[in-house]
Amino acid sequence: MLIEAQAVAKRYGRDWVLRDLDFQLAKHEAVALVGPNGVGKTTLLRVLAGLVRPTQGSIKLVGRVGFLANPPAFHRHFSGAENLHYALRLDGRADDRAEIDRALKQVGLPHDKPVLSYSSGMKKRLAMARLRLQNPDIWLLDEPEAALDVQGRGLLEDLVNFARASGGVVIATHDKSWLSLVDRVVELRAT
Amino acid sequence: MQLARSNQTNRLDSLTLGILGLGMVGAGVGFILAMGAPPDQSQGFVARIFHMHVPMAWMAYLASFAALGYSVAYLVRRKAHHDRVAAAVVEVGLIFMALALLSGMLWARPTWGVYWDWEPRLTTTAILFAIYVGYVVVRGAIEDPELRAKAAAGVAILGSINVPISYMSVKWWRSLHQTQSIDLTTGKINVDAAILIPMLINLAAFTLLFIGLVRLRSIIAAREAAREEV
Amino acid sequence: MRHLFHPGSLRRPFTFCTQTDSLSPVQRIFWLAWRDLVLEFRGRTGILSAVFFLAVMLFILAMAFGPNPQDLQKAAPGVLWVALAFAGSLLAGRAFGLEVEDGTLDDLLLTPGSREWIYFGKLLFQFSLLILVGLVLLLLTAGLFYLPLQNWAWFVVVLLLGSLGYAAISTFYAGMLARLRGREVLLPLLLFPLVIPVVLAAVRFTQGLAQGIPVAELSDWLRLLAVFDVIYVTVCAMVFPYMLEG
């Protein structure tokens, strides 16, 4: 198991966003997380990523977590290549330029334009390149299809297939077309 | 489970009332004994303020230690109870600090001729007072209970560690206070027994009052938290 | 690697890169500080406004104390450290301000390993900024307030030790308040009472230097600064990981 979460609950102020939730992710598994807005999909992903401490419950994780936020965040004054470069360095990895060039070319992005000038679709592509370079074991994708064009969507599906082959994926989504591509669908209901 | 536990810490128990009552009786007895103590050779009757000032200052530093302990306990154990007690300790401690500062100033005027003196203990208490005002302000500024508890714990831990450092730095900077009444390092007591006994009674009474008030404040905070959860 | 994670446990979900962990934590600290410095100088707003703020502040203080050179010289050490403390509170927000503006704090928290290194990286960044501003300030005070710089090496030593102590606390609080509204107001409120010993010791040492007192007689102040630095860097690094969780 890559993720074993038991009886997870999260409260913001008076409101319980998650309540008594169990969740597992096996290796080579792709899971879609569906449910209406405000049901706690993003919160669950953030709890699983270790970004939010649950109010109750326990989580066991095996391996490095990669998180595709919606929208993804980058340093505006850095170019795409610089963002990837520092992301790898802070991960504790020595990168080589060729690797970054290849990743950028793969997602069809320019090398040295500052992220300031990126559209939201380009940012999503850059986030995909970053995730691919980080190559985590647990891939948590929050509405990954948002802002992507047809070609970007194809790249995303490739990425999900790669992620499933190398680890496990959780996709929080409203897009019904993912349902046929994943192994399991988890539906969150309002508490 | 949550409800059951909050009920337990929610009740105004007889122990708290007992401690508060005993503290008040003790403070009354201490006050009468202090008023009966012989006047100081050099300072005269003014020296009697010492019976209020020293126990109050003592409480201020007791509060600092207690806040450190409960804040560390909160970060390690994550029990909301520890956070509430730490907050109560700081709030009650602030009152004693304010009283210690005020009584110190009132004492300084007839003995040193000025209301304020940059004396190490007085200055350290003032710094600690400012830090704990910051603690209360930070608590007021954060709505999320867990974020609030964590940030408050951070402030309390750093603030308490700061006490000996502030003291040392101000002591080196300037010192013209009388020597400490009970020297903790040698155990030598340089106060007459007629003054010492009422002082110790006052000390015990104020400690009881402190514990009772902290318990009372924690119970109120637990009730507030329980109401917020529903 | 397996890690347990539940409230009430000391541990957080550490996650490790299973493949090539080729950089040591110390290297990562340097990379974080370096990245922030590059970003800061590319954005320019923070450091430039701090320096101009200082210049204007020194002018006003010089008008308040001057124009008699003896008076100015007497006030110089105090002016130096008061100005640095105020500029430091302006710069303190920069340690995490860059992350908050771009929304990249989460990505930093997702990096593998425990989070102490983030504190040290940000501390190094803050420290470098303070040293840079402090050196400019030292020259300005020497020019405007006639602070004698014959013993310049000792001025640099006290600047280093004082800035480290200041940065240790300002980085801690900046991280703690990073996600909160009103952090610009709260930060100085929390910071100033805590840095009093640092400013006090640094001012005293600088005053002694300016009056030409031998360093041997002043070394107590340096020792106090060093002890302060060690205690605060250690405690802040230990508590900081708890402050950062969302």
Side-chain angles (χ1 to χ4, degrees), chain A residues 35-57:
Chain A
N37 286 341
V39 83
K41 296 188 296 295
T42 302
T43 302
L44 177 59
L45 284 189
R46 290 175 62 81
V47 167
L48 293 178
L51 289 171
V52 172
R53 180 185 276 264
T55 315
Q56 290 165 12

Side-chain angles (χ1 to χ4, degrees), chain A residues 46 49-65 67 73-78 82 85-86 89-94 130 134-135 137, chain C residues 1 3 5-7 13 15-16 18-23 28 31-32 34-35 38-39 42 99 101-104 106-112 115 117 245-246:
Chain A
R46 290 175 62 81
L51 289 171
V52 172
R53 180 185 276 264
T55 315
Q56 290 165 12
S58 71
I59 297 165
K60 217 189 286 179
L61 295 166
V62 183
R64 194 240 194 270
V65 177
F67 190 68
F74 295 97
H75 291 291
R76 279 170 299 168
H77 296 290
F78 278 156
E82 279 171 315
H85 168 71
Y86 286 110
R89 283 292 159 105
L90 297 187
D91 254 22
R93 283 171 52 194
R130 180 168 66 186
Q134 283 172 335
N135 194 13
D137 305 291
Chain C
M1 295 296 290
H3 281 281
F5 177 35
H6 61 84
T15 50
F16 285 96
T18 42
Q19 14 162 1
T20 48
D21 246 357
S22 54
L23 295 184
R28 287 167 82 193
W31 276 109
L32 179 57
W34 176 248
R35 186 201 68 179
V38 173
L39 269 176
R42 231 176 257 192
E99 310 281 357
E101 277 166 29
D102 287 342
T104 48
D106 284 347
D107 296 306
L108 195 60
L109 297 183
L110 281 168
T111 54
R115 286 165 184 171
W117 75 274
E245 306 162 349

Side-chain angles (χ1 to χ4, degrees), chain B residues 75-78 127 130-131 134 137-138 141-143 150-151 154-155 158-159 161-162 165-166 169-170 172-173, chain C residues 8 172-173 176 180-181 186 189-190 193-194 196-197 200 204 220-221 224 228 231-232 235-236 239 242-243 245-246:
Chain B
L75 287 185
V76 176
R77 306 279 301 279
R78 300 287 169 144
I127 294 172
I131 289 172
V137 173
V138 164
I142 307 175
E143 278 161 31
K150 273 190 307 191
V155 176
L158 258 60
I161 291 168
N162 202 41
I165 301 173
S166 312
S169 61
V170 182
W172 286 354
W173 181 53
Chain C
F172 179 88
Y173 279 145
M176 186 180 97
L180 300 181
R181 282 174 291 113
L186 287 175
L189 180 74
L190 294 175
L194 221 50
I196 287 173
L200 184 55
R204 278 281 135 163
D220 271 354
W221 293 116
L224 183 72
F228 185 95
I231 290 175
Y232 270 94
V235 172
C236 289
V239 182
Y242 294 102
M243 298 294 123
E245 306 162 349

Side-chain angles (χ1 to χ4, degrees), chain C:
Chain C
M1 295 296 290
R2 306 200 106 208
H3 281 281
L4 269 174
F5 177 35
H6 61 84
S9 153
L10 256 172
R11 274 173 230 173
R12 289 189 325 279
F14 295 177
T15 50
F16 285 96
C17 204
T18 42
Q19 14 162 1
T20 48
D21 246 357
S22 54
L23 295 184
S24 70
V26 178
Q27 281 173 302
R28 287 167 82 193
I29 290 167
F30 276 107
W31 276 109
L32 179 57
W34 176 248
R35 186 201 68 179
D36 283 354
L37 281 173
V38 173
L39 269 176
E40 185 63 53
F41 281 99
R42 231 176 257 192
R44 271 184 224 104
T45 44
I47 186 97
L48 273 186
S49 48
V51 168
F52 279 117
F53 171 73
L54 276 180
V56 173
M57 192 173 166
L58 286 188
F59 252 85
I60 294 173
L61 286 171
M63 284 166 189
F65 289 116
N68 183 357
Q70 274 90 45
D71 295 341
L72 286 174
Q73 201 169 13
K74 210 172 163 213
V79 165
L80 174 75
W81 284 99
V82 168
L84 192 60
F86 276 95
S89 83
L90 270 188
L91 289 173
R94 303 305 296 169
F96 288 88
L98 292 167
E99 310 281 357
V100 173
E101 277 166 29
D102 287 342
T104 48
L105 193 54
D106 284 347
D107 296 306
L108 195 60
L109 297 183
L110 281 168
T111 54
S114 67
R115 286 165 184 171
E116 285 84 358
W117 75 274
I118 298 177
Y119 174 73
F120 286 117
K122 292 292 184 187
L123 173 61
L124 187 58
F125 166 67
Q126 272 288 294
F127 181 58
S128 316
L129 280 188
L130 272 180
I131 290 295
L132 274 174
V133 171
L135 287 174
V136 173
L137 188 62
L138 199 58
L139 294 177
L140 282 175
T141 341
L144 294 175
F145 287 80
Y146 314 108
L147 184 71
L149 288 187
Q150 283 88 4
N151 257 334
W152 63 271
W154 285 108
F155 278 106
V156 174
V157 168
V158 72
L159 187 64
L160 286 172
L161 287 176
S163 303
L164 180 60
Y166 192 97
I169 297 171
S170 68
T171 307
F172 179 88
Y173 279 145
M176 186 180 97
L177 300 173
R179 293 180 203 257
L180 300 181
R181 282 174 291 113
R183 56 181 172 274
E184 296 85 359
V185 189
L186 287 175
L187 192 59
L189 180 74
L190 294 175
L191 184 59
F192 285 134
L194 221 50
V195 293
I196 287 173
V198 177
V199 175
L200 184 55
V203 166
R204 278 281 135 163
F205 185 80
T206 315
Q207 270 175 347
L209 278 184
Q211 287 163 11
I213 296 171
V215 174
E217 282 174 38
L218 298 168
S219 59
D220 271 354
W221 293 116
L222 275 193
R223 222 166 291 145
L224 183 72
L225 270 179
V227 167
F228 185 95
D229 290 356
V230 170
I231 290 175
Y232 270 94
V233 170
T234 316
V235 172
C236 289
M238 275 164 60
V239 182
F240 187 75
Y242 294 102
M243 298 294 123
L244 261 191
E245 306 162 349

